[in-house]
Amino acid sequence: MIIWLNGTFGAGKTTTAGELVKLVPDARLFDPEVVGLMLRYLKVLPKVPDFQQWPAWRDLVVETAVRVLDHVGGVLVAPQTVLVKGYWAEIRDGLGKAGVPVRHFLLHTDEDTLIHRIETDTVETGARQWRLDHLPRYRDALPWLRRAAEVVDTTGVAPERVARLVASAAGYR
């Protein structure tokens, strides 16, 4: 199984993922962004502003997740923002064809909280403006995201509590 944590930057995906792997037996962190970073080294790919635009990224996220599960089993926790409906459909369908169940959660909070979290982040300070610039894309994606995922409101909720809510919804008490 894959527990996919979606949501915009600052919603709490990475922190929640870290807490979730402590709660779910045999859970492992699987970061699809690493696949994108790997692909950036291939100079033959066209330059794009977002590695998710490469079909290879979407294909390799699926293939990598399937192979990791084949080798180690358990549950993969994937904290990754996907704001393009078609990209999410490719990933979801690819995993489904491979027989991998996916629980898709949208970690959501109000915009004021998002802005505060982004502006006060002391870990990835270089990503501040990039994250702020992506808030309109998140707003635009919210209608389909709310239909495609189980929404978990992270406003004023500690990451440990968010992880417990996700774990419970995914069937891990």
Short mmCIF file of all heavy atoms in Angstrom, two decimals, residues 6-11 13 33 40 48-53 80-84 87 111 114-115 118 126-142 145:
data_model
loop_
_atom_site.label_atom_id
_atom_site.label_comp_id
_atom_site.label_asym_id
_atom_site.label_seq_id
_atom_site.Cartn_x
_atom_site.Cartn_y
_atom_site.Cartn_z
N ASN A 6 -0.72 14.52 -0.18
CA ASN A 6 -0.72 15.60 -1.15
C ASN A 6 -1.06 16.89 -0.42
O ASN A 6 -1.49 16.87 0.73
CB ASN A 6 -1.74 15.30 -2.26
CG ASN A 6 -1.42 15.99 -3.57
OD1 ASN A 6 -0.67 16.95 -3.63
ND2 ASN A 6 -2.03 15.50 -4.64
N GLY A 7 -0.91 17.99 -1.09
CA GLY A 7 -1.21 19.29 -0.51
C GLY A 7 -0.13 20.26 -0.93
O GLY A 7 0.93 19.86 -1.41
N THR A 8 -0.39 21.52 -0.75
CA THR A 8 0.59 22.51 -1.17
C THR A 8 1.76 22.58 -0.20
O THR A 8 1.75 21.95 0.86
CB THR A 8 -0.05 23.89 -1.37
OG1 THR A 8 0.82 24.71 -2.13
CG2 THR A 8 -0.41 24.55 -0.07
N PHE A 9 2.72 23.37 -0.56
CA PHE A 9 3.93 23.52 0.23
C PHE A 9 3.60 24.29 1.50
O PHE A 9 3.04 25.36 1.44
CB PHE A 9 4.98 24.24 -0.62
CG PHE A 9 5.06 23.65 -2.00
CD1 PHE A 9 4.37 24.19 -3.06
CD2 PHE A 9 5.79 22.48 -2.20
CE1 PHE A 9 4.40 23.61 -4.32
CE2 PHE A 9 5.83 21.89 -3.46
CZ PHE A 9 5.14 22.45 -4.51
N GLY A 10 3.90 23.68 2.64
CA GLY A 10 3.58 24.28 3.93
C GLY A 10 2.39 23.63 4.60
O GLY A 10 2.04 23.99 5.72
N ALA A 11 1.75 22.67 3.95
CA ALA A 11 0.59 22.01 4.54
C ALA A 11 0.98 21.00 5.61
O ALA A 11 0.14 20.59 6.40
CB ALA A 11 -0.24 21.31 3.45
N LYS A 13 3.14 18.06 4.87
CA LYS A 13 3.33 16.71 4.31
C LYS A 13 4.58 16.02 4.84
O LYS A 13 4.51 14.88 5.31
CB LYS A 13 3.40 16.77 2.78
CG LYS A 13 2.14 17.25 2.11
CD LYS A 13 2.30 17.30 0.60
CE LYS A 13 3.47 18.11 0.12
NZ LYS A 13 3.44 19.54 0.46
N GLU A 33 10.05 13.03 -4.97
CA GLU A 33 10.88 14.15 -5.43
C GLU A 33 12.29 13.69 -5.78
O GLU A 33 12.93 14.23 -6.69
CB GLU A 33 10.92 15.24 -4.37
CG GLU A 33 11.60 16.49 -4.87
CD GLU A 33 11.26 17.70 -4.03
OE1 GLU A 33 10.23 17.72 -3.35
OE2 GLU A 33 12.06 18.66 -4.09
N ARG A 40 16.94 15.13 -13.25
CA ARG A 40 17.57 16.42 -13.61
C ARG A 40 19.00 16.24 -14.10
O ARG A 40 19.52 17.09 -14.81
CB ARG A 40 17.53 17.38 -12.42
CG ARG A 40 16.13 17.89 -12.14
CD ARG A 40 16.19 19.31 -11.64
NE ARG A 40 14.86 19.77 -11.25
CZ ARG A 40 14.01 20.39 -12.07
NH1 ARG A 40 14.35 20.60 -13.31
NH2 ARG A 40 12.84 20.78 -11.65
N VAL A 48 12.47 21.95 -18.25
CA VAL A 48 11.11 22.24 -17.80
C VAL A 48 11.18 22.93 -16.44
O VAL A 48 12.13 22.70 -15.68
CB VAL A 48 10.25 20.95 -17.71
CG1 VAL A 48 10.03 20.32 -19.07
CG2 VAL A 48 10.86 19.94 -16.75
N PRO A 49 10.20 23.75 -16.13
CA PRO A 49 10.22 24.41 -14.82
C PRO A 49 9.91 23.45 -13.66
O PRO A 49 10.27 23.71 -12.53
CB PRO A 49 9.16 25.50 -14.93
CG PRO A 49 8.37 25.19 -16.14
CD PRO A 49 9.16 24.27 -17.00
N ASP A 50 9.26 22.34 -13.95
CA ASP A 50 8.86 21.38 -12.91
C ASP A 50 9.07 19.97 -13.44
O ASP A 50 8.52 19.60 -14.48
CB ASP A 50 7.38 21.60 -12.57
CG ASP A 50 6.88 20.73 -11.44
OD1 ASP A 50 7.54 19.75 -11.08
OD2 ASP A 50 5.79 21.04 -10.93
N PHE A 51 9.86 19.18 -12.73
CA PHE A 51 10.17 17.83 -13.21
C PHE A 51 8.94 16.95 -13.37
O PHE A 51 8.97 15.96 -14.07
CB PHE A 51 11.22 17.13 -12.34
CG PHE A 51 10.88 17.01 -10.88
CD1 PHE A 51 9.89 16.17 -10.43
CD2 PHE A 51 11.58 17.75 -9.95
CE1 PHE A 51 9.59 16.06 -9.09
CE2 PHE A 51 11.30 17.66 -8.60
CZ PHE A 51 10.29 16.80 -8.17
N GLN A 52 7.83 17.30 -12.72
CA GLN A 52 6.60 16.52 -12.90
C GLN A 52 6.10 16.58 -14.34
O GLN A 52 5.31 15.74 -14.75
CB GLN A 52 5.51 16.99 -11.93
CG GLN A 52 5.83 16.66 -10.49
CD GLN A 52 4.70 16.99 -9.55
OE1 GLN A 52 3.57 17.23 -9.96
NE2 GLN A 52 4.99 17.00 -8.27
N GLN A 53 6.55 17.56 -15.10
CA GLN A 53 6.16 17.68 -16.50
C GLN A 53 6.76 16.57 -17.36
O GLN A 53 6.25 16.31 -18.45
CB GLN A 53 6.56 19.05 -17.05
CG GLN A 53 5.77 20.18 -16.42
CD GLN A 53 6.27 21.52 -16.88
OE1 GLN A 53 7.25 22.05 -16.37
NE2 GLN A 53 5.58 22.09 -17.87
N GLN A 80 4.18 14.13 -1.40
CA GLN A 80 4.49 14.80 -2.67
C GLN A 80 3.30 15.60 -3.17
O GLN A 80 2.21 15.06 -3.34
CB GLN A 80 4.88 13.77 -3.74
CG GLN A 80 5.20 14.36 -5.10
CD GLN A 80 6.49 15.18 -5.11
OE1 GLN A 80 7.50 14.74 -4.57
NE2 GLN A 80 6.45 16.35 -5.72
N THR A 81 3.54 16.85 -3.43
CA THR A 81 2.53 17.71 -4.03
C THR A 81 2.36 17.34 -5.50
O THR A 81 3.33 17.30 -6.24
CB THR A 81 2.96 19.19 -3.93
OG1 THR A 81 3.12 19.53 -2.56
CG2 THR A 81 1.96 20.11 -4.60
N VAL A 82 1.13 17.05 -5.88
CA VAL A 82 0.79 16.86 -7.30
C VAL A 82 -0.45 17.71 -7.55
O VAL A 82 -1.53 17.39 -7.04
CB VAL A 82 0.53 15.39 -7.67
CG1 VAL A 82 0.16 15.27 -9.14
CG2 VAL A 82 1.74 14.52 -7.34
N LEU A 83 -0.29 18.79 -8.31
CA LEU A 83 -1.39 19.73 -8.52
C LEU A 83 -2.03 19.61 -9.90
O LEU A 83 -3.01 20.29 -10.18
CB LEU A 83 -0.91 21.16 -8.30
CG LEU A 83 -0.37 21.47 -6.90
CD1 LEU A 83 0.09 22.93 -6.82
CD2 LEU A 83 -1.41 21.16 -5.84
N VAL A 84 -1.48 18.76 -10.75
CA VAL A 84 -2.03 18.58 -12.09
C VAL A 84 -2.85 17.28 -12.09
O VAL A 84 -2.30 16.20 -11.86
CB VAL A 84 -0.92 18.54 -13.16
CG1 VAL A 84 -1.50 18.27 -14.54
CG2 VAL A 84 -0.14 19.86 -13.14
N TYR A 87 -1.60 14.36 -14.15
CA TYR A 87 -0.40 13.71 -13.60
C TYR A 87 -0.79 12.76 -12.47
O TYR A 87 -0.28 11.65 -12.37
CB TYR A 87 0.59 14.74 -13.07
CG TYR A 87 1.17 15.68 -14.10
CD1 TYR A 87 1.96 16.74 -13.71
CD2 TYR A 87 0.94 15.52 -15.46
CE1 TYR A 87 2.51 17.61 -14.62
CE2 TYR A 87 1.48 16.39 -16.39
CZ TYR A 87 2.27 17.44 -15.97
OH TYR A 87 2.81 18.31 -16.88
N GLU A 111 -5.18 29.65 3.86
CA GLU A 111 -4.08 30.34 3.22
C GLU A 111 -3.24 31.17 4.19
O GLU A 111 -2.01 31.23 4.07
CB GLU A 111 -4.58 31.20 2.06
CG GLU A 111 -3.44 31.67 1.19
CD GLU A 111 -3.88 32.10 -0.20
OE1 GLU A 111 -4.72 31.42 -0.80
OE2 GLU A 111 -3.34 33.12 -0.66
N LEU A 114 -0.90 28.81 5.78
CA LEU A 114 0.12 28.40 4.82
C LEU A 114 1.20 29.47 4.68
O LEU A 114 2.40 29.18 4.74
CB LEU A 114 -0.50 28.14 3.45
CG LEU A 114 -1.24 26.84 3.26
CD1 LEU A 114 -1.97 26.84 1.93
CD2 LEU A 114 -0.29 25.66 3.35
N ILE A 115 0.77 30.70 4.51
CA ILE A 115 1.73 31.79 4.33
C ILE A 115 2.61 31.92 5.57
O ILE A 115 3.83 32.07 5.47
CB ILE A 115 1.01 33.11 4.00
CG1 ILE A 115 0.38 33.00 2.59
CG2 ILE A 115 1.95 34.31 4.10
CD1 ILE A 115 -0.57 34.12 2.23
N ILE A 118 5.13 29.04 5.61
CA ILE A 118 6.17 29.22 4.58
C ILE A 118 7.15 30.31 5.01
O ILE A 118 8.36 30.14 4.89
CB ILE A 118 5.52 29.54 3.22
CG1 ILE A 118 4.75 28.31 2.68
CG2 ILE A 118 6.57 30.00 2.21
CD1 ILE A 118 3.82 28.61 1.51
N GLY A 126 15.42 28.88 1.24
CA GLY A 126 15.61 29.23 -0.16
C GLY A 126 14.39 28.97 -1.02
O GLY A 126 14.28 29.48 -2.13
N ALA A 127 13.46 28.16 -0.51
CA ALA A 127 12.26 27.81 -1.28
C ALA A 127 11.08 28.73 -0.97
O ALA A 127 9.99 28.55 -1.53
CB ALA A 127 11.87 26.36 -1.00
N ARG A 128 11.28 29.71 -0.11
CA ARG A 128 10.18 30.57 0.36
C ARG A 128 9.36 31.16 -0.80
O ARG A 128 8.16 30.97 -0.88
CB ARG A 128 10.74 31.68 1.24
CG ARG A 128 9.68 32.62 1.76
CD ARG A 128 10.34 33.79 2.54
NE ARG A 128 9.36 34.78 2.85
CZ ARG A 128 8.96 35.74 2.02
NH1 ARG A 128 9.47 35.83 0.82
NH2 ARG A 128 8.04 36.60 2.38
N GLN A 129 10.01 31.90 -1.68
CA GLN A 129 9.27 32.58 -2.74
C GLN A 129 8.64 31.59 -3.70
O GLN A 129 7.51 31.79 -4.16
CB GLN A 129 10.17 33.57 -3.50
CG GLN A 129 9.40 34.50 -4.41
CD GLN A 129 8.36 35.32 -3.65
OE1 GLN A 129 8.66 35.96 -2.64
NE2 GLN A 129 7.12 35.29 -4.11
N TRP A 130 9.35 30.53 -4.02
CA TRP A 130 8.82 29.50 -4.92
C TRP A 130 7.53 28.92 -4.34
O TRP A 130 6.55 28.74 -5.07
CB TRP A 130 9.87 28.40 -5.12
CG TRP A 130 9.53 27.42 -6.17
CD1 TRP A 130 9.79 27.52 -7.51
CD2 TRP A 130 8.87 26.15 -6.00
NE1 TRP A 130 9.33 26.41 -8.17
CE2 TRP A 130 8.76 25.56 -7.26
CE3 TRP A 130 8.37 25.49 -4.89
CZ2 TRP A 130 8.16 24.32 -7.45
CZ3 TRP A 130 7.77 24.25 -5.07
CH2 TRP A 130 7.68 23.69 -6.34
N ARG A 131 7.51 28.64 -3.05
CA ARG A 131 6.32 28.10 -2.39
C ARG A 131 5.17 29.11 -2.42
O ARG A 131 4.04 28.74 -2.70
CB ARG A 131 6.64 27.71 -0.96
CG ARG A 131 7.54 26.51 -0.87
CD ARG A 131 7.96 26.25 0.55
NE ARG A 131 8.65 24.98 0.65
CZ ARG A 131 9.12 24.50 1.77
NH1 ARG A 131 8.98 25.18 2.89
NH2 ARG A 131 9.72 23.33 1.78
N LEU A 132 5.48 30.35 -2.12
CA LEU A 132 4.44 31.39 -2.16
C LEU A 132 3.87 31.55 -3.56
O LEU A 132 2.66 31.71 -3.74
CB LEU A 132 5.00 32.72 -1.65
CG LEU A 132 5.34 32.78 -0.16
CD1 LEU A 132 6.11 34.06 0.16
CD2 LEU A 132 4.07 32.66 0.69
N ASP A 133 4.75 31.47 -4.56
CA ASP A 133 4.31 31.61 -5.96
C ASP A 133 3.38 30.48 -6.40
O ASP A 133 2.63 30.64 -7.36
CB ASP A 133 5.52 31.67 -6.89
CG ASP A 133 6.32 32.96 -6.75
OD1 ASP A 133 5.81 33.93 -6.14
OD2 ASP A 133 7.48 32.98 -7.22
N HIS A 134 3.44 29.33 -5.72
CA HIS A 134 2.62 28.18 -6.10
C HIS A 134 1.25 28.14 -5.41
O HIS A 134 0.43 27.28 -5.73
CB HIS A 134 3.37 26.88 -5.85
CG HIS A 134 4.33 26.56 -6.95
ND1 HIS A 134 5.52 27.22 -7.10
CD2 HIS A 134 4.25 25.68 -7.98
CE1 HIS A 134 6.14 26.75 -8.16
NE2 HIS A 134 5.40 25.83 -8.72
N LEU A 135 0.99 29.06 -4.51
CA LEU A 135 -0.32 29.06 -3.84
C LEU A 135 -1.49 29.23 -4.81
O LEU A 135 -2.51 28.54 -4.65
CB LEU A 135 -0.35 30.11 -2.73
CG LEU A 135 0.52 29.79 -1.51
CD1 LEU A 135 0.46 30.94 -0.50
CD2 LEU A 135 0.10 28.48 -0.88
N PRO A 136 -1.40 30.09 -5.85
CA PRO A 136 -2.51 30.17 -6.79
C PRO A 136 -2.77 28.84 -7.53
O PRO A 136 -3.92 28.48 -7.77
CB PRO A 136 -2.08 31.27 -7.77
CG PRO A 136 -1.14 32.13 -6.98
CD PRO A 136 -0.41 31.15 -6.09
N ARG A 137 -1.71 28.12 -7.87
CA ARG A 137 -1.89 26.80 -8.52
C ARG A 137 -2.61 25.84 -7.59
O ARG A 137 -3.44 25.05 -8.03
CB ARG A 137 -0.53 26.22 -8.93
CG ARG A 137 0.10 26.92 -10.10
CD ARG A 137 1.39 26.27 -10.56
NE ARG A 137 1.20 24.87 -10.89
CZ ARG A 137 2.11 23.94 -10.74
NH1 ARG A 137 3.30 24.23 -10.26
NH2 ARG A 137 1.86 22.70 -11.08
N TYR A 138 -2.29 25.91 -6.32
CA TYR A 138 -2.97 25.05 -5.34
C TYR A 138 -4.45 25.42 -5.25
O TYR A 138 -5.31 24.54 -5.28
CB TYR A 138 -2.29 25.18 -3.97
CG TYR A 138 -3.01 24.39 -2.89
CD1 TYR A 138 -3.06 23.00 -2.92
CD2 TYR A 138 -3.64 25.05 -1.84
CE1 TYR A 138 -3.71 22.29 -1.95
CE2 TYR A 138 -4.30 24.33 -0.85
CZ TYR A 138 -4.33 22.96 -0.91
OH TYR A 138 -4.99 22.25 0.06
N ARG A 139 -4.74 26.71 -5.16
CA ARG A 139 -6.15 27.15 -5.12
C ARG A 139 -6.91 26.64 -6.34
O ARG A 139 -8.03 26.16 -6.23
CB ARG A 139 -6.23 28.68 -5.07
CG ARG A 139 -6.09 29.25 -3.69
CD ARG A 139 -6.50 30.72 -3.66
NE ARG A 139 -5.80 31.55 -4.63
CZ ARG A 139 -4.65 32.17 -4.41
NH1 ARG A 139 -4.05 32.07 -3.25
NH2 ARG A 139 -4.08 32.89 -5.36
N ASP A 140 -6.27 26.72 -7.52
CA ASP A 140 -6.92 26.26 -8.75
C ASP A 140 -7.14 24.74 -8.73
O ASP A 140 -8.11 24.25 -9.31
CB ASP A 140 -6.07 26.63 -9.97
CG ASP A 140 -6.05 28.13 -10.23
OD1 ASP A 140 -6.89 28.86 -9.67
OD2 ASP A 140 -5.15 28.57 -11.00
N ALA A 141 -6.25 24.00 -8.11
CA ALA A 141 -6.35 22.53 -8.08
C ALA A 141 -7.29 22.02 -6.99
O ALA A 141 -7.71 20.86 -7.03
CB ALA A 141 -4.96 21.92 -7.88
N LEU A 142 -7.63 22.86 -6.03
CA LEU A 142 -8.43 22.39 -4.89
C LEU A 142 -9.73 21.66 -5.26
O LEU A 142 -10.04 20.64 -4.65
CB LEU A 142 -8.75 23.56 -3.95
CG LEU A 142 -7.86 23.67 -2.74
CD1 LEU A 142 -8.20 24.93 -1.95
CD2 LEU A 142 -7.91 22.45 -1.87
N LEU A 145 -8.76 18.15 -6.28
CA LEU A 145 -8.08 17.49 -5.16
C LEU A 145 -9.07 17.06 -4.08
O LEU A 145 -8.95 15.97 -3.52
CB LEU A 145 -7.03 18.43 -4.54
CG LEU A 145 -5.72 18.58 -5.29
CD1 LEU A 145 -4.90 19.73 -4.73
CD2 LEU A 145 -4.94 17.28 -5.25
#
